[in-house]
Amino acid sequence: MIFSGLPARIALLAFVPVLGLAALASAWLGYERYQAGVQEINTRGTTLVRQAALALEGDPVLERERLRRYALGLLALDDVLTVSIDGLDGQTLVREQRSSSQRLNGNAGEQPEASLGFEAPVRGALAASLTPDISPGPGYLPGPARVHIELSRAPLFALRSSVLIDTLGLLGLGALFGLLAASLGSIAILTPFERVQRLLNRLRNGQFEPPLRRGDDGGPLDALEEGISAIARLLREQRQTLMSRDEQTMAELHETLEELEIKNAELDIARKKALAASQVKSEFLANMSHEIRTPMNGVLGFVELLAKTELSRTQQGHLQTIRASARHLMTILNDILDFSKIEAGKFELAQQPFDLRELLENAVLLFAPNAHAKNLSLVLDVAPELPSGLIGDGPRIAQIVTNLVSNAVKFTDRGQVEVCVRLCSETAKTVTFGIAVLDTGIGFAPQDRARLFSAFDQIDTSPTRRHGGTGLGLAICRRLVQMMGGDIHAESVPGEGACFEATLRLDRLLATEAGEGAEAVPPPVSMPALLAMRDETLARALTHILALRGVAARLCRDVNELEAALSQPPAPGPLLIAIDLRTLPGARQALPELLRAREQPVEGGLLLIGGAEAAMPGNGGFAYGRLQAWQIARPPVSREVLPVLDALLARHAGTPLPDQASTTVPAAHSTPGTQGLHVLLADDNLINRQLARLFLQQLGAQVDEAANGLEAVQRCAGHDYDVVLMDIQMPELDGLSATRRIRAAGPNRDTPIVALTAEILPSDAGRYRAAGIDDQVIKPVTEEALVATLLKWGNRCHLPDPQVQA
C-alpha cells in the first residue's frame, strides 16, 4: 500500500525525518564516545609517563640495571608497548619493548605506528648537579633526562568498532521506528481517501446504494464524502428515471436491430442468389445460343441454297419472307445475348449504312401472319419525305421496331396496329425521326407506366394471364434508344389502346458515301390511282407509298364513290385501282360492271390487297378488261407496290419488263483462293455438315467429315489438311480438347483450326486461343463467312519455306 502513488509520498515524508534524526543522534553519540575513549588513552599515557619521570627524579646517577628493571615494570602493563629512557646527552640509556607475541591484540604483524607515544622530562636529573668530588663508580650511569612510553592503539581500535556497531544499531532502530511511524501515518491519512475512492469506484460501476459508512473525524474528507454521497443519491434518482424512460426505447432498438439483422441476412442471401443467378444466366445464354444457332444455321444455310435455284415470283416472295424472318430471329437472339453487355456498359453500336424503309418493312412483315390470324389490320405508314439511306446500327433499330410491334400484336385482340414513321427534323448531315406504334388493345394503367421498361418485369404476373413473354423486350428497347441518344415513352388509355413512340437521330447517308452502286431514284410518273377501301389508315399508308413515284391517289370509301370516280373522263396514262378486300370486298364484284359502263375502256392495273381466300391465278395473270391484276398481302409495302407501278408503266410504254417471277440466282462458283483446298469439317450435327459441305464443294474445296471430336483427332493423325473447321460442343470429345490433341502431335500441329461456334460470351475468345484455335466463325455459318475464312487461312501452313528456296 505504501510503495506507489500518494501512499509512497506520505510514507516518505514520515520515514525520512525519523531516519535523519536517528542518523544524527547515533553519529553524535558515537563521536562523543570515541572522543571520550581517545581522551582516556591520552590521560593514561600522560599519567604513566609523568609517574615514571617523578620516580626517576632525585637519582642523578642510576644503575643501568635498575633503569632496566624499572622499564620492564612498566612493560608489565597491558597497554604499554615500549619504554625508553634517554640520558642527558641524548643517548638512550635503556629501551625495552614488548615482543610481538606479547602484544595486547596478539597479532604478530602489529606495526609500530599502531601505538601512541608519550614523553616527559625528568626534572632535577641534570649533569650540573653532579659534584666534582663525586665520581660514579663502575656500573652507574649519568642521571636520565627524558622518559618515552608508547601505548598500544588496540583499545582505541576496539572502541571504534564498538562505537560503529552501536551507531549502526541505533540507526537501524531509528529506521525501524521510522517505518512504523510511516505506516501508521499513511494508514491514518489514507483511510479517509480510501473511503472516498471506494465510493467513487461504486459510482463508476453504477452502484449508488447502499450508502457507504461515513468517518467520524468531522474533517474535510468527510465533507467530501458526504458531497459524493449526495451526488450518488441524485444519480440514483436520475438513473431510475432514465431507466424507466429507456426501457421502451431499448425494446424498440432491440426490435430494430433484429429487423436489421434479418434484412442483412436476407440481403446476403439475395446477393449470393444474384451471383449464382448471374452465373446460371451466363451458362444458360451460352447453352441457348448453341441450341438455337445450331438449327438456325441449317435454316439460313438451306434458304441461301434454295434461293440459288429456279423459283417463281410467289416462291421468291415466300423465301424472302423466310429469310427475313430467320435473320430477324437471329437479330433478336443476338440482342438478348447482348443484354448482359449493355448492363455492363461494354456494348458498342455499329455505324454502317442501311436502308431505313427496307428495314422497317422487313421488321413489320414478320408479324403479318399473326395479325392476319387475329383478324387485325396491320399497317406500316412511312412518310415519303423520310430519306431511306441512313448511317447507324440498323439491326438494333429493327430490334426496337420488332419488340414494339410484337407487343402491340400480342396485346391487341381486335382493331388495328399501325406503325407510323414520321420525319421530325433534318439537317444537311442528320435526320431526326419518330417511330410510333399505335394499337387498339388493352392498354395499361398510368401507375404501371414506370414498370413497362423494367427488365424481367411484367404488369400481369398472375397464373391466369393471357399474354406471356420474358418482360425483356421493352427494357432492351429503352437501353438501345438511350445508347443512340434518343428517347422512348408510352401513353395509354386502359381498354382503348396504347402508343409507344421512339425518337432517334441518325446521320444521313450522303451521295458520296453511297458509292457508285447506289440505286438511283426513279423520276415521278404521271399515273392516277383510285383507292377503294374504308380503312383510312391503310389508305394513308398506301398513298405515301405511291407518292414515292409521284402518283396522286384518290380515296373511295364505298362502291358509289368508286363509280363516280370511274365515270369521270380518264386522265392520261394508265390507271391503278387498289381494292382492300378486307374492308370493301364488294368493290371487286362491282368492278366489272363499273368498267363496262364506261364509254372508254380503262387501261392500267388492279391491285387487290389482302383476302387470301380470293387468291389470283398467278401474279398479274388475271385481267378485268384491260386491267392487269395483282394481289398482295396486308400490309402493303413499297417493295411489293412499286414493282406493280413499274410493270404498269413498262406495259403502257410497250417496254418488256423482265420476268421477276422466275429469276434464277446463279449457283456459287469456286474462288481462286479456295480451289483445291483440303478441309476437315468436324460437327456433330448432320444438317450443319451437309450445309457446310455443299458450301465448301461449291467453292472448289475437298471436304472430309468428322461426326465428333475423337473422329476429328483420328483423321488429323493420318491426313494433312489445309484448314480444320472445328465445332466446339461435340460428343465423345469436345472441340477444344480435340484441338489440344491435334496441336500436341501429328501432321496438323501447325494447321489453321477455325472454330464453328454459337457461343459469343467475352470469355470464350481467351479459352479458344489457349486451346490452340486460330479463328472463329459464329453460327449460323454463311457462304460469305466461309469464303473469307478460307481466303484468310487456306494454304497458309503450306507456303514454301524461304530458307529452302534460297
Side-chain angles (χ1 to χ4, degrees), residues 236-412:
R236 182 173 62 252
E237 295 175 357
Q238 293 180 351
R239 180 183 181 183
Q240 293 176 352
T241 303
L242 291 176
M243 288 179 62
S244 61
R245 293 179 179 178
D246 292 346
E247 286 180 355
Q248 184 178 0
T249 303
M250 292 300 295
E252 295 175 355
L253 180 61
H254 182 70
E255 183 179 356
T256 302
L257 291 177
E258 290 181 351
E259 292 178 356
L260 290 177
E261 291 178 358
I262 294 174
K263 291 183 178 179
N264 289 335
E266 292 176 350
L267 289 176
D268 184 63
I269 295 174
R271 184 183 66 84
K272 293 180 180 179
K273 289 183 178 180
L275 293 177
S278 178
Q279 180 66 25
V280 171
K281 183 188 72 173
S282 299
E283 296 176 356
F284 171 78
L285 291 178
N287 293 332
M288 289 303 297
S289 174
H290 181 272
E291 295 298 329
I292 296 177
R293 287 173 181 272
T294 297
M296 286 302 299
N297 181 60
V299 172
L300 288 175
F302 279 99
V303 165
E304 296 296 332
L305 292 177
L306 185 60
K308 298 174 183 178
T309 62
E310 185 175 353
L311 301 174
S312 65
R313 181 186 298 272
T314 301
Q315 291 172 334
Q316 282 188 350
H318 295 339
L319 187 63
Q320 189 174 7
T321 301
I322 295 174
R323 179 191 294 138
S325 300
R327 289 180 177 176
H328 278 291
L329 178 59
M330 292 303 303
T331 301
I332 294 173
L333 175 63
N334 292 335
D335 286 337
I336 295 177
L337 292 176
D338 289 339
F339 184 75
S340 58
K341 293 183 180 180
I342 296 177
E343 290 290 336
K346 298 180 180 179
F347 184 83
E348 295 182 0
L349 295 174
Q351 296 295 324
Q352 297 177 350
F354 69 96
D355 190 321
L356 178 62
R357 188 177 299 275
E358 179 181 2
L359 180 147
L360 294 172
E361 291 177 354
N362 291 335
V364 173
L365 286 178
L366 287 174
F367 303 96
N370 294 339
H372 176 71
K374 299 179 70 173
N375 197 25
L376 297 177
S377 174
L378 179 62
V379 178
L380 172 61
D381 182 10
V382 182
E385 66 273 11
L386 183 65
S388 295
L390 299 176
I391 297 177
D393 199 328
R396 304 308 173 192
I397 298 177
Q399 175 65 21
I400 295 172
V401 177
T402 299
N403 284 328
L404 296 180
V405 177
S406 174
N407 285 339
V409 174
K410 181 193 305 183
F411 293 102
T412 302

Side-chain angles (χ1 to χ4, degrees), residues 25 27 75 108 207 241 264 267 298 336 428 434 483 626 637 743 759 776 789:
L75 287 177
Q207 300 175 359
T241 303
N264 289 335
L267 289 176
I336 295 177
M483 293 180 66
R626 297 185 180 184
V637 292
R743 295 300 189 197
E759 299 179 0
Q776 62 182 5
T789 301

Side-chain angles (χ1 to χ4, degrees), residues 302-570:
F302 279 99
V303 165
E304 296 296 332
L305 292 177
L306 185 60
K308 298 174 183 178
T309 62
E310 185 175 353
L311 301 174
S312 65
R313 181 186 298 272
T314 301
Q315 291 172 334
Q316 282 188 350
H318 295 339
L319 187 63
Q320 189 174 7
T321 301
I322 295 174
R323 179 191 294 138
S325 300
R327 289 180 177 176
H328 278 291
L329 178 59
M330 292 303 303
T331 301
I332 294 173
L333 175 63
N334 292 335
D335 286 337
I336 295 177
L337 292 176
D338 289 339
F339 184 75
S340 58
K341 293 183 180 180
I342 296 177
E343 290 290 336
K346 298 180 180 179
F347 184 83
E348 295 182 0
L349 295 174
Q351 296 295 324
Q352 297 177 350
F354 69 96
D355 190 321
L356 178 62
R357 188 177 299 275
E358 179 181 2
L359 180 147
L360 294 172
E361 291 177 354
N362 291 335
V364 173
L365 286 178
L366 287 174
F367 303 96
N370 294 339
H372 176 71
K374 299 179 70 173
N375 197 25
L376 297 177
S377 174
L378 179 62
V379 178
L380 172 61
D381 182 10
V382 182
E385 66 273 11
L386 183 65
S388 295
L390 299 176
I391 297 177
D393 199 328
R396 304 308 173 192
I397 298 177
Q399 175 65 21
I400 295 172
V401 177
T402 299
N403 284 328
L404 296 180
V405 177
S406 174
N407 285 339
V409 174
K410 181 193 305 183
F411 293 102
T412 302
D413 294 330
R414 61 179 182 274
Q416 69 176 8
V417 174
E418 178 186 4
V419 181
C420 185
V421 185
R422 295 291 182 264
L423 177 66
C424 298
S425 62
E426 62 179 337
T427 64
K429 295 183 178 181
T430 62
V431 175
T432 301
F433 62 96
I435 303 175
V437 179
L438 303 92
D439 63 71
T440 57
I442 61 176
F444 56 87
Q447 61 269 20
D448 295 328
R449 182 180 291 107
R451 299 173 53 192
L452 289 174
F453 299 99
S454 298
F456 307 104
D457 191 9
Q458 291 181 322
I459 296 177
D460 185 8
T461 59
S462 63
T464 59
R465 61 176 181 167
R466 298 175 52 196
H467 309 286
T470 62
L472 194 59
L474 292 179
I476 295 176
C477 290
R478 184 185 65 174
R479 296 298 182 87
L480 292 177
V481 170
Q482 290 176 348
M483 293 180 66
M484 295 179 187
D487 184 28
I488 184 171
H489 63 276
E491 299 293 338
S492 175
V493 176
E496 298 183 7
C499 175
F500 289 81
E501 183 175 3
T503 304
L504 301 176
R505 180 182 180 183
L506 300 178
D507 293 335
R508 183 193 297 269
L509 180 63
L510 303 179
T512 56
E513 298 175 343
E516 297 179 357
E519 182 179 358
V521 178
V525 298
S526 175
M527 178 188 298
L530 297 179
L531 307 182
M533 56 191 67
R534 289 192 177 96
D535 191 342
E536 296 184 359
T537 303
L538 178 63
R540 183 175 63 252
L542 187 57
T543 300
H544 289 159
I545 295 176
L546 297 175
L548 295 174
R549 291 290 192 269
V551 177
R554 175 181 175 181
L555 176 61
C556 301
R557 295 178 176 83
D558 53 31
V559 177
N560 294 331
E561 292 185 7
L562 178 61
E563 180 181 5
L566 289 174
S567 63
Q568 295 180 0

Side-chain angles (χ1 to χ4, degrees), residues 185-219:
S186 176
I187 293 173
I189 295 175
L190 293 179
T191 298
F193 284 101
E194 291 178 353
R195 293 200 304 269
V196 174
Q197 184 180 2
R198 286 194 297 270
L199 180 57
L200 292 177
N201 290 336
R202 291 174 62 87
L203 292 179
R204 184 178 59 186
N205 297 330
Q207 300 175 359
F208 303 129
E209 55 183 354
L212 299 178
R213 182 182 60 83
R214 287 188 52 197
D216 53 1
D217 54 358

